[in-house]
């Protein structure tokens, strides 16, 4: 499976977690794709921590507005009724508990819901941005990421990279499955129908709890 297909599967599945009326923050990279798959009958307010609400689908190629970007500097669109404001107001929305869910990428996640998504020691990558606030301010934290990186597991028993937050992740969505963080451990709720349980276990360092009612992930 190529990376483009993987990201589409992940973004489409995360979009199903978004409820009508929710205020949702999308992290940079893959999470921004979620806005492309929200059903027309679901009314969502997307918030961007650099200072606006009303984020729309990604702009078509050639129609980007250089003055309209998300927190990661990527071109975006804004829907009718959207609003711009300063960073103080933006983070007051986040810290004040007004964000229903945040969707973030990750370098590592572990079975205790710990998240590492901001730094690889010795390498230059973007900083954590607003993630530190979002993981504690949002009511639900969804990690959207590919299941492995260069063949290495990203879902671990314990993160080895510096943490963005401890115990804040609620749900992990990858191209291989959907996993919920519980007090008992990681519960595999859905599995990609093209993947076996043995394959997902082989690509996951953390132990997975396999329920009797394991569902097939919708990948269409």
């Amino acid at each position: 499976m190529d990376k483009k297909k993987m990201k589409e599967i992940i973004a489409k599945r995360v979009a199903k977690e978004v409820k009508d009326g929710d205020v949702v923050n999308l992290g940079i990279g893959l999470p921004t794709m979620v806005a492309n798959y929200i059903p027309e009958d679901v009314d969502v307010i997307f918030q961007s921590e650099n200072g606006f609400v009303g984020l729309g689908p990604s702009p078509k190629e050639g129609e980007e507005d250089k003055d309209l970007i998300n927190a990661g500097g990527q071109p975006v669109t804004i829907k009718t009724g959207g609003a711009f404001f300063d960073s103080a107001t933006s983070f007051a929305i986040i810290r004040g508990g007004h964000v229903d869910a945040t969707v973030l990428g990750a370098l590592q996640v572990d079975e205790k819901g710990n998240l590492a998504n901001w730094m690889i020691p010795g390498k230059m990558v973007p900083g954590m941005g607003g993630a530190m606030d979002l993981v504690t301010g949002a009511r639900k934290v969804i990690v959207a990421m590919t299941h492995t990186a260069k063949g290495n597991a990203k879902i671990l028993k314990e993160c080895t990279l510096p943490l963005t937050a401890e115990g804040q992740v609620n749900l992990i969505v990858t191209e291989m499955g959907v996993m919920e963080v519980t007090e008992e451990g990681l519960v595999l709720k859905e599995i990609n129908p093209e993947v076996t349980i043995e394959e997902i276990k082989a690509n996951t360092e953390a132990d997975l709890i396999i329920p009797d009612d394991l569902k097939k992930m919708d990948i269409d």
Side-chain angles (χ1 to χ4, degrees):
M1 189 186 305
D2 63 39
K3 274 201 169 183
K4 181 180 178 183
K5 180 63 177 176
M6 289 182 188
K7 291 178 179 179
E8 286 179 358
I9 290 172
I10 297 165
K12 286 180 180 177
R13 178 58 187 84
V14 172
K16 294 180 179 180
E17 293 294 317
V18 176
K19 310 301 182 201
D20 195 48
D22 278 355
V23 176
V24 178
N25 179 286
L26 301 177
I28 63 174
L30 194 162
T32 61
M33 293 175 61
V34 173
N36 298 336
Y37 300 108
I38 301 298
E40 290 185 0
D41 60 345
V42 175
D43 187 16
V44 180
I45 298 174
F46 285 116
Q47 186 257 2
S48 187
E49 65 262 34
N50 58 323
F52 66 94
V53 291
L55 179 81
S58 301
K60 295 178 181 177
E61 188 173 348
E63 296 182 8
E64 300 92 346
D65 181 341
K66 64 180 177 59
D67 294 322
L68 188 55
I69 59 173
N70 63 15
Q74 299 166 313
V76 295
T77 62
I78 189 165
K79 298 167 71 173
T80 301
F84 300 94
F85 34 77
D86 58 23
S87 292
T89 302
S90 185
F91 277 84
I93 291 171
I94 296 168
R95 295 173 184 175
H98 306 292
V99 175
D100 294 292
T102 184
V103 183
L104 299 169
L107 299 173
Q108 296 177 342
V109 184
D110 68 28
E111 58 191 19
K112 296 177 182 175
N114 297 325
L115 169 67
N117 78 337
W118 67 281
M119 187 179 75
I120 299 175
K123 294 188 177 182
M124 292 294 291
V125 296
M128 70 172 69
M132 187 171 58
D133 294 276
L134 285 161
V135 291
T136 54
R139 284 189 274 276
K140 184 174 184 178
V141 177
I142 302 170
V143 166
M145 66 176 190
T146 54
H147 204 92
T148 60
K150 298 181 179 178
N152 297 316
K154 296 169 70 178
I155 304 174
L156 309 175
K157 289 182 178 295
E158 186 173 348
C159 292
T160 58
L161 294 173
L163 295 184
T164 305
E166 294 185 14
Q168 296 295 326
V169 175
N170 302 112
L171 196 71
I172 305 167
V173 180
T174 76
E175 77 281 7
M176 298 186 83
V178 179
M179 287 136 282
E180 183 178 13
V181 181
T182 73
E183 291 185 358
E184 289 73 33
L186 281 182
V187 178
L188 182 63
K189 305 289 288 187
E190 298 177 21
I191 187 169
N192 184 323
E194 297 180 355
V195 174
T196 66
I197 291 176
E198 288 70 27
E199 286 173 327
I200 195 168
K201 280 184 172 180
N203 286 282
T204 310
E205 183 193 281
D207 293 328
L208 292 175
I209 299 169
I210 314 295
D212 294 335
D213 62 344
L214 176 62
K215 296 180 173 58
K216 298 292 185 184
M217 192 176 179
D218 182 4
I219 62 170
D220 295 327

